[in-house]
Amino acid sequence: MSGRYTERATAWSGALVWTWHGPRGPERPVLPDGCMDLVWTAGRLLVAGPDTHAVRVTDTGDGLRAGIRFAPGTAPALLGVPACELRDRRVTLDTVWRGAEVRRLTERIAEAGDPAAALEGVVRSRAAGTDPPDPLMVSVAARLERGHSVAATARAAGLGARQLHRRSLTAFGYGPKTLARILRLQRALALVRAGTPYAEAAHAAGCTDQAHLAREVRDLTGTTLGGYLAGLGQEAPGASGAPGALGAKSDTAQPSGSRTTA
């Protein structure tokens, strides 16, 4: 039995609000994407930190899950902790914020008719009393997402290699080379999902060749390109680039820290 996934943009620093209605279904690996999430699930508030590899999340209960997905570099200012402290972790929100505040927010969301809207209200209220995300690091993430090299990005930001690395740990949870690698993988997988042949997707995303992409997929996701598509209900693209049987994104169990599941 499938569920329904939805997402929409918010006005806050490129964040997305997502919901998942229905059963989670079989355990799926959640792929790294540079994002962090504030998640409402099973009556609890959780923070999903930035991942460096695929993470298997077990959650087979029915019901509604909701969350706010923060673009790379935007969550630390709101949460009040460096992203590197949450790298490869899922923690309850009271690990980050005061317990009394988290209990109050948990009660408010539990009583709300729309948990996603209530979560969005939490973010708006919190953002009003905190500094905005570091604009320089948001710009760094945007350049890396467009495929610019780390060296060129550092020059554009006016930062030395060590400065960029140090600030990246705070903003993204890891260094700029790791973020660039993760974002390159996401570009490649988006092309593959659209039916682009593997070799073309590898070149367009910035990999040296198809073998390079295959290694990156295995290292970061723990599966193969064919296994990734099979998990989405798709067939490998043929020579013409025509996609196989598409698995609708809305039927893919998403949330727990990544916009993409294998």
Side-chain angles (χ1 to χ4, degrees):
M1 185 168 118
S2 64
R4 182 168 63 89
Y5 173 79
T6 63
E7 66 179 33
R8 59 179 172 80
T10 75
W12 193 81
S13 298
L16 292 174
V17 179
W18 58 259
T19 59
W20 172 260
H21 296 264
R24 177 74 179 189
E27 180 185 76
R28 288 174 179 261
V30 177
L31 306 190
D33 60 3
C35 298
M36 296 173 62
D37 286 42
L38 177 61
V39 182
W40 168 259
T41 180
R44 297 188 302 161
L45 285 166
L46 307 174
V47 179
D51 295 324
T52 59
H53 52 76
V55 176
R56 290 190 173 274
V57 177
T58 302
D59 179 2
T60 57
D62 293 349
L64 170 67
R65 301 159 191 82
I68 308 290
R69 179 165 302 124
F70 300 100
T74 62
L78 185 84
L79 295 175
V81 295
C84 55
E85 293 187 9
L86 299 171
R87 182 176 56 234
D88 293 323
R89 299 177 65 196
R90 270 96 177 126
V91 301
T92 55
L93 185 58
D94 58 11
T95 305
V96 179
W97 292 354
R98 291 177 302 174
E101 180 182 10
V102 174
R103 285 191 295 273
R104 177 176 56 80
L105 294 175
T106 300
E107 291 173 1
R108 180 197 303 175
I109 295 171
E111 294 169 358
D114 184 346
L119 264 181
E120 192 173 8
V122 168
V123 170
R124 271 198 309 269
S125 297
R126 184 78 178 187
T130 61
D131 293 331
D134 182 343
L136 186 61
M137 300 314 293
V138 171
S139 174
V140 163
R143 291 185 65 86
L144 293 176
E145 188 157 19
R146 291 195 297 270
H148 293 280
S149 70
V150 172
T153 299
R155 287 195 298 272
L159 298 173
R162 290 185 180 180
Q163 287 178 304
L164 178 59
H165 186 83
R166 184 172 61 252
R167 292 179 67 166
S168 292
L169 290 177
T170 298
F172 312 129
Y174 29 63
K177 290 183 179 179
T178 298
L179 179 61
R181 186 184 182 201
I182 288 170
L183 294 177
R184 182 178 61 200
L185 175 72
Q186 288 291 340
R187 291 195 300 275
L189 293 182
L191 291 167
V192 167
R193 290 195 300 273
T196 305
Y198 295 157
E200 291 182 22
H203 176 73
C207 295
T208 54
D209 54 25
Q210 181 176 329
H212 180 198
L213 173 58
R215 289 193 300 273
E216 291 290 86
V217 170
R218 184 174 292 279
D219 288 349
L220 292 172
T221 75
T223 188
T224 62
L225 279 164
Y228 168 75
L229 285 178
L232 296 178
Q234 292 184 228
E235 298 174 358
S240 66
L246 293 176
K249 185 176 180 68
S250 60
D251 287 333
T252 301
Q254 294 286 323
S256 49
S258 176
R259 58 193 171 202
T260 310
T261 59

